[in-house]
Amino acid sequence: MISHWLIGWISQLGRCLRPRADGCSCPHASAFGQRWLRLSSAAAVRMGRARRQELGVILSLSPQEVARLADLARIELSLAEQERLAGQLDVILAAVAVVGPAAQGDIRPTSHPLPLVNVFRPDVLAPGLGQADVLAMSPAQEGGRFKVPRILEEEA
Amino acid sequence: MTGLADLGAAELADLLASGQVSSVEAVQACLDRIEAADAAVGAFLHVDADRALAAARAVDARRAAGADLPPLAGVPVAVKDAFAMTGAPTTCGSRLLEHWRPPYDSSVVRRLQEAGLVIVGKTNMDEFAMGSSTENSAFGPTRNPWDLGRIPGGSGGGSAAALAAYEAPLAIGSDTGGSIRQPAAVTGTVGVKPTYGGVSRYGLVAMASSLDQPGPCARSVLDAALLHAVIGGYDPKDSTSIDAPVPDVVAAARSGDVAGLRIGVVAELGGEGYAPGVEQRFHEAVALLEAAGAKVSEVSCPHFDLALAAYYLIMPSEASSNLARFDAMRYGLRVGDDGSRSAEQVMRLSRARGFGDEVKRRVILGTYALSSGYFDAYYGSAQKVRTLIGQDFTAAFERVDVLVSPTCPTTAWPFGERLADPLSMYKADLCTIPSNLAGGPAASFPAGLAPEDGLPVGFHVMAPPLAEDRLYLVGTALERALEPSGAPLAARLVGKELTL
């Protein structure tokens, strides 16, 4: 089972390292990729399958899952796009999964390079954008307001 | 006699101040150069000659009236099309914003205008700043003036190429993972990413808000410092703006004294995967700095190996959230609104039509990394790795004053080479990403041409937060050591025929 998973992992990473079908390949990118491959594979081996599941890391996205994500992101995707993206996202997700094992232990997460504080401007009246300026770039407007398509779905 | 377009900003500013040259002449020289070269280079998305000349005339009139003008008044500048500017399109390289004209000016644009600089146009970029080659622009790629068959870097390839093609002496960029520095490296120009919060993001179209940082681009170190001084400093309109004085970058760029400066060569950023010519020029540059009095040692930053992975979780996550604003309701592209479709359906169709492949890829990747069940494994872990990278920097800066590496592992690559393979494209930013994650300033300076292909190599310098002056000290020291005449590396392109 573990060996089966490892083969899958390496073949996914290998996909990005193979010479391209048109014969055009970049020796630097490929040497680079091999270094990346070693780092990622080593990390994966260290992580182990059980831990990987516990962390919720998956290494294969189906076109259907991509379609679901596209739905959440409000982007219409063709079937061909779903399939192409599934393959590409697999490779990317496999590569970025190295953060999992590295982030074990009591490490404070950093969301921002600066300590964020609430900032207030002086409470001074100043002119804002006028209605005409705000509406000027709207795709459609009516009666001084944004005109949008209906926001309720058709009743069944 | 060289033409006015061949002069740097500092030289032009002197001629303008002494009245030997007018701003109209300087701006016209750039416009003529754009007219001659940009059909081949494609650095600009939008040039407004009439408006630029009107602004130049206004500066000339104020000077003639005896006004005390800021140092760069009348000097032309190009602005990346990610910065909002009234009276001009701001497309961010996207079909979705193709016809958008912002109702307000970004703080960077406003500061340029207040300092009397003349904006000649808006430069090309990867769509929403997502890319390392400018091939992701919806309006076609920009070409590298060193070799028109190669990429000019990205996302700010337009700004870097405009400088290398002598279409403008100064340009503005924005850097989320290397979008100022990597284009500078592959075009033989100077690019600086200031400390996060050092230059206002107000009016910069957001990609990843905790990483994005505007900065100066130029052909020489002093020119970059002069521009940095104009755009830097506290802005109440940006809640992450740092309320502290900008380090004296101009004095540092004029000095170039690196005697006693402790330089740390990052052990992890080099070796396998780096082009031989990049490594060679990098090590030569380190030796030159050592000869100029710097103390060089090797420093290990063990978590830098994880920076690319952390970045490709954090950046898409923030981008997927930021780009949610493009909903086809208030501005931007709207398609499919024929009365039969709901707002949600129109939104989906508009985003499908308006976004290119790379933007879709990153928005969906970010949506996944932030989704319930995977958040801790991906985004949460990446945030912890971000902490580890910050700790690497902190530990390193206890031993050295600056860290150095190549800017990009390779020189400019041919068009199309990495388009089908996102990971290989992403790796162009391997050396530049750690500074975005930790927030400190960093810069790329020309280090000469790689022997194997004759293309520019970038020397990357990283400093602690608010220590930008150290970047400029190193940059000027290197510039002087490499070219005693003071001519920038890109001067070798003067007179080059740029036609397809």
Side-chain angles (χ1 to χ4, degrees):
Chain A
M1 197 62 188
I2 290 177
S3 64
H4 174 77
W5 162 73
L6 261 180
I7 290 164
W9 168 282
I10 288 167
S11 74
Q12 280 157 13
L13 278 165
R15 213 179 297 168
C16 74
L17 306 173
R18 281 203 298 269
R20 291 179 34 207
D22 57 8
C24 171
S25 70
C26 165
H28 313 315
S30 139
F32 217 169
Q34 281 153 20
R35 184 181 180 205
W36 177 275
L37 172 67
R38 274 207 312 281
L39 289 170
S40 311
S41 309
V45 170
R46 278 201 302 274
M47 194 185 337
R49 187 167 190 274
R51 184 70 185 135
R52 215 164 40 81
Q53 281 185 334
E54 186 187 324
L55 287 169
V57 176
I58 64 163
L59 292 172
S60 181
L61 276 179
S62 67
Q64 292 72 30
E65 285 166 316
V66 170
R68 168 70 182 140
L69 290 168
D71 189 51
L72 289 169
R74 307 290 189 268
I75 299 174
E76 194 81 26
L77 288 186
S78 68
L79 279 175
E81 279 181 309
Q82 289 168 18
E83 280 169 16
R84 191 173 69 241
L85 272 171
Q88 291 173 335
L89 292 175
D90 269 357
V91 173
I92 297 168
L93 286 171
V96 298
V98 292
V99 297
Q104 301 305 299
D106 187 20
I107 306 165
R108 179 183 48 83
T110 300
S111 64
H112 209 274
L114 296 175
L116 290 177
V117 290
N118 214 354
V119 179
F120 296 98
R121 273 204 295 268
D123 189 11
V124 178
L125 275 179
L129 285 177
Q131 187 186 40
D133 286 336
V134 171
L135 287 171
M137 288 290 113
S138 60
Q141 53 176 291
E142 189 176 297
R145 287 166 291 182
F146 293 106
K147 185 179 178 188
V148 302
R150 63 185 160 79
I151 56 166
L152 299 176
E153 298 297 325
E154 304 265 23
E155 282 183 37
Chain B
M1 169 68 187
T2 49
L4 286 179
D6 302 332
L7 299 179
E11 299 161 284
L12 257 186
D14 285 346
L15 293 173
L16 286 161
S18 64
Q20 296 174 67
V21 165
S22 72
S23 179
V24 168
E25 289 169 321
V27 169
Q28 188 61 56
C30 285
L31 293 171
D32 291 345
R33 180 71 183 155
I34 292 167
E35 181 73 27
D38 213 52
V41 176
F44 285 89
L45 288 176
H46 178 75
V47 176
D48 189 339
D50 292 343
R51 180 176 172 177
L53 288 168
R57 274 193 295 274
V59 173
D60 287 339
R62 285 170 62 202
R63 201 185 299 280
D68 187 18
L69 298 176
L72 292 181
V75 175
V77 62
V79 176
K80 187 179 184 181
D81 206 27
F83 291 86
M85 176 172 160
T86 51
T90 296
T91 69
C92 232
S94 181
R95 288 276 169 224
L96 199 135
L97 290 179
E98 185 172 5
H99 303 292
W100 186 54
R101 287 173 175 258
Y104 69 104
D105 285 315
S106 54
S107 289
V108 165
V109 162
R110 181 169 297 181
R111 285 189 182 190
L112 292 173
Q113 291 170 337
E114 284 171 359
L117 282 104
V118 177
I119 297 170
V120 290
K122 307 287 293 291
T123 55
N124 198 11
M125 56 186 286
D126 285 299
E127 183 179 9
F128 289 112
M130 298 183 189
S132 305
S133 68
T134 319
E135 290 165 295
N136 294 331
S137 168
F139 308 107
T142 298
R143 295 170 183 276
N144 191 325
W146 291 86
D147 178 344
L148 296 173
R150 289 174 187 262
I151 60 101
S155 67
S159 283
L163 295 169
Y166 282 76
E167 295 173 317
L170 297 171
I172 296 290
S174 65
D175 190 312
T176 305
S179 286
I180 287 176
R181 292 164 286 161
Q182 181 258 5
V186 301
T187 58
T189 58
V190 176
V192 180
K193 180 201 93 72
T195 305
Y196 181 87
V199 175
S200 173
R201 292 184 296 114
Y202 179 75
L204 167 65
V205 179
M207 169 162 64
S209 303
S210 79
L211 304 164
D212 297 341
Q213 181 55 214
C217 312
R219 288 187 293 265
S220 77
V221 180
L222 177 58
D223 285 2
L226 290 166
L227 185 57
H228 194 145
V230 169
I231 59 174
Y234 178 64
D235 177 18
K237 287 183 169 173
D238 174 358
S239 65
T240 57
S241 178
I242 298 174
D243 193 359
V246 181
D248 195 344
V249 291
V250 175
R254 289 193 196 280
S255 148
D257 181 5
V258 292
L261 190 81
R262 298 171 301 166
I263 294 179
V265 176
V266 180
E268 284 76 11
L269 302 179
E272 201 182 324
Y274 288 71
V278 169
E279 291 247 293
Q280 184 186 333
R281 293 300 181 229
F282 170 70
H283 289 298
E284 286 170 5
V286 171
L288 288 171
L289 291 167
E290 195 164 24
K295 293 176 184 161
V296 176
S297 60
E298 189 173 275
V299 174
S300 175
C301 296
H303 297 100
F304 281 19
D305 276 338
L306 298 165
L308 191 62
Y311 177 79
Y312 272 94
L313 288 164
I314 292 169
M315 173 272 299
S317 297
E318 294 190 19
S320 70
S321 171
N322 271 324
L323 269 60
R325 77 192 57 188
F326 300 114
D327 58 8
M329 297 298 126
R330 294 149 301 155
Y331 56 94
L333 181 72
R334 180 188 287 182
V335 298
D337 184 15
D338 58 5
S340 74
R341 294 188 177 90
S342 69
E344 284 244 347
Q345 289 167 325
V346 168
M347 202 182 292
R348 280 166 220 274
L349 288 173
S350 302
R351 286 162 67 84
R353 186 84 59 83
F355 289 155
D357 284 346
E358 181 64 18
V359 175
K360 290 177 186 171
R361 193 153 45 227
R362 295 198 195 186
V363 167
I364 288 171
L365 181 60
T367 304
Y368 177 63
L370 292 177
S371 59
S372 172
Y374 300 109
F375 181 91
D376 287 340
Y378 287 117
Y379 188 69
S381 296
Q383 286 188 313
K384 290 181 178 176
V385 168
R386 193 171 184 180
T387 302
L388 297 174
I389 288 162
Q391 289 170 350
D392 278 1
F393 271 115
T394 305
F397 288 134
E398 283 170 8
R399 292 180 50 204
V400 297
D401 301 310
V402 293
L403 292 170
V404 296
S405 72
T407 307
C408 181
T410 68
T411 55
W413 58 88
F415 283 110
E417 191 173 86
R418 302 190 187 183
L419 271 183
D421 178 359
L423 263 190
S424 75
M425 183 80 83
Y426 297 168
K427 284 167 191 160
D429 294 335
L430 192 84
C431 304
T432 47
I433 281 171
S435 291
N436 296 90
L437 290 171
S444 180
F445 302 111
L449 305 176
E452 64 263 33
D453 55 17
L455 293 169
V457 173
F459 185 80
H460 188 223
V461 189
M462 297 162 268
L466 292 175
E468 274 90 339
D469 47 339
R470 296 182 200 170
L471 306 177
Y472 287 98
L473 285 176
V474 173
T476 294
L478 185 59
E479 195 174 57
R480 284 183 190 151
L482 284 169
E483 183 51 70
S485 78
L489 184 65
R492 301 183 197 195
L493 292 175
V494 169
K496 182 182 179 191
E497 189 81 2
L498 290 173
T499 49
L500 284 174

